[in-house]
Amino acid sequence: NPHVGQNEDVLIDAEGQLWLATLGYGLFVQKGYPYLHQLPAQSEAAYDLELLANGDILVGGDQGIWWYDQALNLQAHQAQIEQVRGVKWLEGIGLCAGTLQGETYFFENTAALLQPVSEPSAIVSSGFSGVLSLPNEEAIFSSYGAGLQLFSDGEMKRYDLAQLPN
């Protein structure tokens, strides 16, 4: 489909629906082959998709974090955090959202998306492009500007890996 712009992320949910985050046109969902349905509420840039254990989908984009159920019903929209480049559920830690500016926010659960947000919990230089859960409530973040960082005890610590580019 040439009308969806630059693809940023894609996933298939438990019901076999294709979710597509695009830079130019927002969020699309394939509801029956081959039709892509653009979700009008999320028409700005969408960067990252996360499938939750209950089948719900989180979308990170220019206008914040969007939370949809499998039937495409909007459950919540967290608009106070803008330009969300990464949104991930981390076992033992909860939900994290990273912005293009390098701010990282942590939420205990998805219901916390409905609460006001004040300050970022941690800084990952230039935002994160990926994250991996570790045991003991730790995680490794890969960032756009600072390489790998370890999240442990509520703090970000940069790995000094000269041989690994940013």
Side-chain angles (χ1 to χ4, degrees), residues 61-80:
D62 274 349
Q63 303 299 318
I65 302 168
W66 302 76
W67 172 15
Y68 292 94
D69 66 13
Q70 291 179 10
L72 308 184
N73 297 312
L74 183 62
Q75 303 299 300
H77 174 218
Q78 176 51 263
Q80 293 175 315

Side-chain angles (χ1 to χ4, degrees), residues 69-116:
D69 66 13
Q70 291 179 10
L72 308 184
N73 297 312
L74 183 62
Q75 303 299 300
H77 174 218
Q78 176 51 263
Q80 293 175 315
I81 305 172
E82 296 180 342
Q83 294 185 312
V84 177
R85 293 293 303 209
V87 58
K88 296 294 178 207
W89 177 261
L90 301 174
E91 201 60 43
I93 296 174
L95 174 66
C96 67
T99 70
L100 187 62
Q101 294 77 19
E103 305 154 333
T104 304
Y105 297 84
F106 291 91
F107 303 92
E108 279 185 37
N109 50 47
T110 48
L113 289 175
L114 302 172
Q115 304 303 318

Side-chain angles (χ1 to χ4, degrees), residues 11-12 19 32 46 51 64 74 100 112 119 125 149 153 156-157 160 162 164:
L11 66 78
I12 296 177
W19 293 72
L51 178 63
L74 183 62
L100 187 62
E119 295 293 322
S125 178
Q149 297 187 48
D153 296 325
M156 289 288 184
K157 302 168 188 164
D160 187 15
L164 186 66

